[in-house]
Amino acid sequence: MSLFDYKVADLHELIHKKELKVTDLVDESYKRIGEVEDKVQAFLTLDEERARETAKAFDEKINSSEEKGLLFGMPMGVKDNIVTKGLRTTCASKILENFDPIYDATVVQKLQQAETVTIGKLNMDEFAMGSSNENSAFKKTRNPWDLDRVPGGSSGGSAASVAAGEVLFSLGSDTGGSIRQPASFCGVVGMKPTYGRVSRFGLVAFASSLDQIGPITRTVEDNAYLLQAISGLDPMDSTSANVAVPNFAAALTGDVKGLKIAVPKEYLGEGVNEAARQSILDALKVLEGLGAVWEEVSLPHSKYALAAYYLLSSSEASANLSRFDGVRYGYRTPDPESLIDLYKKSRAEGFGDEVKRRIMLGTFALSSGYYDAYYKKAQQVRTLIKKDFEDVFAKYDVIVGPTTPTAAFKIGENIEDPLTMYANDILTIPLNLAGLPGISVPCGFDAGLPLGLQVIGKYFDEAAIYRVAHAFEQATDFHKQMPKL
């Protein structure tokens, strides 16, 4: 049994009883990385020297009366689009392959205050654009359950590292499902918080009105602790919300009696395979047995979410990625003939195909004569999708459905078909458009591959989501099953 099979609370107890050292946890992490990383390929950069120094300092601190952080001594990984001072941050792109940030993202500062140990930076789809981790400029991360399959994306490295037992938990970012979809594919727990709950300062922007940082863990309880540590108002981020951060772990009562659950018929319809659909119906029976009630509802505008999302996110990406020009930082083409040539060649050589595809789509949607027809129309659809959710939440506590339409697909299976690849996020995208919180928890298997249950909550009501997810988790044993690498 690995130390990472224990929960944070159990490990803390062992550390405080002096039956376990922080250096033991860090040793376990790098030992496991040595055993499986050549197969999984979740990490882009390791920070071993600094991690071991931090662990030694924490071992000395345990003997003092000083107050310990919420996540004291816990080893974790950070997605490579979250900046870390002095630790390379590439966004899995050639254009940033040698970028060493001079400051920490707010979430990284908060984790330092919580006294975690950063093991390294995790692979992803380039600039968070993708659903399979096949768009990284450096390596393809593999699914620990089946090394021939994708781990999901864009936070594929973050989910795979937790599933493979390389770290206790990790941070990902979610623009259209990029935490929840890989969590579902890798059989772990992934939370996308309410937009504004967690600071985006230091997250390299893909689509600023949609991006949100969130935790990926083995259990719902650990997820609640990690979200607790990174949440809160940040003066460095104008979109961060001035909303009190509750004690999320206190919501894990296991009691869902009388809870009203909405199940959108659109989330169990065409495109969702039978195994995924059945796993949700089985999960609803479990929740019914715990005293919750559910009814079918409709989110009529969700069928337009995919089109609206790709127009809006690509438009924002085309603006955000204009800063990568070969002048200030990042890759610069050798021997340009002029300034314009420098811009063109640096971007052409530095960006991958998927990033170029989205920049071109976004630039088109924002261009004169097309703005009203595409970008503005997509914003209007976004408002209708938001209203659908608000209408349902006027009568129900949470919404439940599958996280993904299928289990993980094979590497290379959809890479030449962007539309099929985009459709993988069809069940997760509506939340980002509305800014709502949602979690994916393991709820079943299809031919040995994990499936995820998605629980969606009201604005800033992550506590209710955790309550439902934890009650379901305690009544089942899907989260206890681990891949055999």
Side-chain angles (χ1 to χ4, degrees):
M1 184 174 175
S2 163
L3 287 170
F4 296 162
D5 292 331
Y6 291 89
K7 294 185 293 188
V8 168
D10 300 332
L11 292 172
H12 272 171
E13 190 179 338
L14 292 169
I15 288 170
H16 287 293
K17 284 181 177 172
K18 298 186 183 166
E19 293 173 18
L20 179 69
K21 290 181 175 179
V22 177
T23 44
D24 296 334
L25 288 173
V26 171
D27 287 345
E28 176 104 4
S29 188
Y30 285 113
K31 177 173 172 275
R32 182 66 174 165
I33 288 168
E35 289 167 354
V36 303
E37 181 58 18
D38 60 330
K39 299 174 194 164
V40 179
Q41 301 194 39
F43 283 90
L44 287 176
T45 311
L46 293 172
D47 197 18
E48 187 165 356
E49 189 179 337
R50 193 158 41 166
R52 292 191 184 280
E53 283 172 13
T54 305
K56 278 181 190 167
F58 285 162
D59 282 341
E60 287 168 19
K61 185 175 179 177
I62 202 69
N63 297 314
S64 74
S65 58
E66 279 181 82
E67 193 177 336
K68 313 301 185 289
L70 180 67
L71 299 168
F72 181 79
M74 299 296 112
M76 66 167 300
V78 178
K79 188 176 178 180
D80 206 34
N81 60 346
I82 298 170
V83 301
T84 41
K85 186 177 180 179
L87 181 59
R88 188 159 297 168
T89 302
T90 68
C91 294
S93 177
K94 183 181 175 184
I95 213 158
L96 283 177
E97 63 185 339
N98 295 314
F99 177 53
D100 289 324
I102 56 171
Y103 68 96
D104 281 317
T106 296
V107 289
V108 174
Q109 290 175 357
K110 283 179 175 283
L111 288 169
Q112 287 165 358
Q113 289 161 12
E115 299 188 305
T116 60
V117 182
T118 300
I119 296 299
K121 302 298 288 291
L122 293 156
N123 195 24
M124 55 185 279
D125 284 296
E126 184 180 3
F127 283 104
M129 297 180 190
S131 307
S132 66
N133 233 129
E134 293 170 284
N135 294 329
S136 169
F138 305 117
K139 56 171 73 168
K140 287 182 174 68
T141 300
R142 294 170 182 273
N143 192 318
W145 290 88
D146 179 347
L147 297 170
D148 291 330
R149 293 181 185 266
V150 302
S154 62
S155 308
S158 299
S161 64
V162 175
E166 295 178 303
V167 285
L168 190 64
F169 45 68
S170 65
L171 286 187
S173 69
D174 193 311
T175 308
S178 288
I179 287 172
R180 290 157 290 149
Q181 188 246 24
S184 175
F185 279 5
C186 292
V188 291
V189 179
M191 163 67 91
K192 180 249 169 220
T194 309
Y195 184 80
R197 169 67 84 188
V198 177
S199 170
R200 291 185 302 109
F201 179 71
L203 173 69
V204 179
F206 162 14
S208 307
S209 75
L210 300 160
D211 298 340
Q212 190 64 179
I213 296 169
I216 297 177
T217 58
R218 285 271 189 95
T219 67
V220 174
E221 184 182 306
D222 286 0
N223 206 280
Y225 281 125
L226 188 47
L227 184 59
Q228 180 95 36
I230 62 173
S231 294
L233 179 67
D234 178 17
M236 301 298 283
D237 175 10
S238 61
T239 61
S240 127
N242 189 7
V243 175
V245 180
N247 180 350
F248 293 121
L252 309 181
T253 60
D255 179 21
V256 291
K257 283 190 181 68
L259 193 95
K260 295 175 79 176
I261 298 171
V263 182
K265 63 182 181 186
E266 292 82 2
Y267 286 16
L268 294 175
E270 191 183 353
V272 177
N273 84 354
E274 186 52 36
R277 200 176 76 85
Q278 191 56 50
S279 73
I280 300 308
L281 296 175
D282 292 345
L284 288 167
K285 282 180 192 160
V286 171
L287 292 167
E288 263 187 320
L290 295 169
V293 292
W294 68 273
E295 290 174 8
E296 190 173 86
V297 298
S298 180
L299 295 170
H301 295 98
S302 58
K303 62 186 173 188
Y304 306 117
L306 206 61
Y309 168 83
Y310 278 100
L311 279 166
L312 295 172
S313 64
S314 299
S315 297
E316 292 184 28
S318 73
N320 279 325
L321 270 60
S322 63
R323 70 192 68 173
F324 302 106
D325 53 12
V327 176
R328 285 159 290 191
Y329 44 72
Y331 173 80
R332 177 182 294 194
T333 189
D335 306 318
E337 293 170 12
S338 65
L339 184 62
I340 298 299
D341 196 46
L342 169 73
Y343 292 154
K344 280 183 178 176
K345 284 185 178 169
S346 295
R347 289 168 68 80
E349 293 162 14
F351 287 136
D353 288 348
E354 182 59 30
V355 175
K356 289 176 192 168
R357 191 180 289 124
R358 298 202 199 191
I359 289 172
M360 286 160 63
L361 172 60
T363 305
F364 173 78
L366 291 174
S367 59
S368 176
Y370 297 102
Y371 178 91
D372 285 352
Y374 295 109
Y375 183 79
K376 187 179 174 186
K377 187 67 73 182
Q379 287 287 27
Q380 290 168 332
V381 170
R382 182 181 196 169
T383 302
L384 293 172
I385 289 167
K386 191 166 176 278
K387 173 115 185 16
D388 284 350
F389 279 116
E390 286 166 358
D391 290 346
V392 169
F393 280 127
K395 298 174 191 166
Y396 299 91
D397 299 305
V398 294
I399 296 170
V400 159
T403 309
T404 57
T406 65
F409 48 89
K410 288 195 168 173
I411 292 169
E413 194 175 325
N414 297 331
I415 196 70
E416 299 300 326
D417 184 358
L419 290 178
T420 300
M421 194 71 90
Y422 293 170
N424 275 292
D425 298 331
I426 199 161
L427 299 167
T428 52
I429 277 170
L431 271 73
N432 297 78
L433 291 171
L436 290 163
I439 200 169
S440 177
V441 290
C443 73
F445 291 90
D446 181 10
L449 297 167
L451 295 165
L453 169 77
Q454 183 172 216
V455 185
I456 305 162
K458 300 172 185 175
Y459 294 109
F460 299 103
D461 196 9
E462 289 88 356
I465 295 175
Y466 280 136
R467 190 174 137 214
V468 176
H470 182 254
F472 175 75
E473 184 185 76
Q474 296 308 299
T476 57
D477 66 352
F478 300 116
H479 65 291
K480 292 178 182 170
Q481 298 181 45
M482 290 293 134
K484 291 174 175 59
L485 270 168

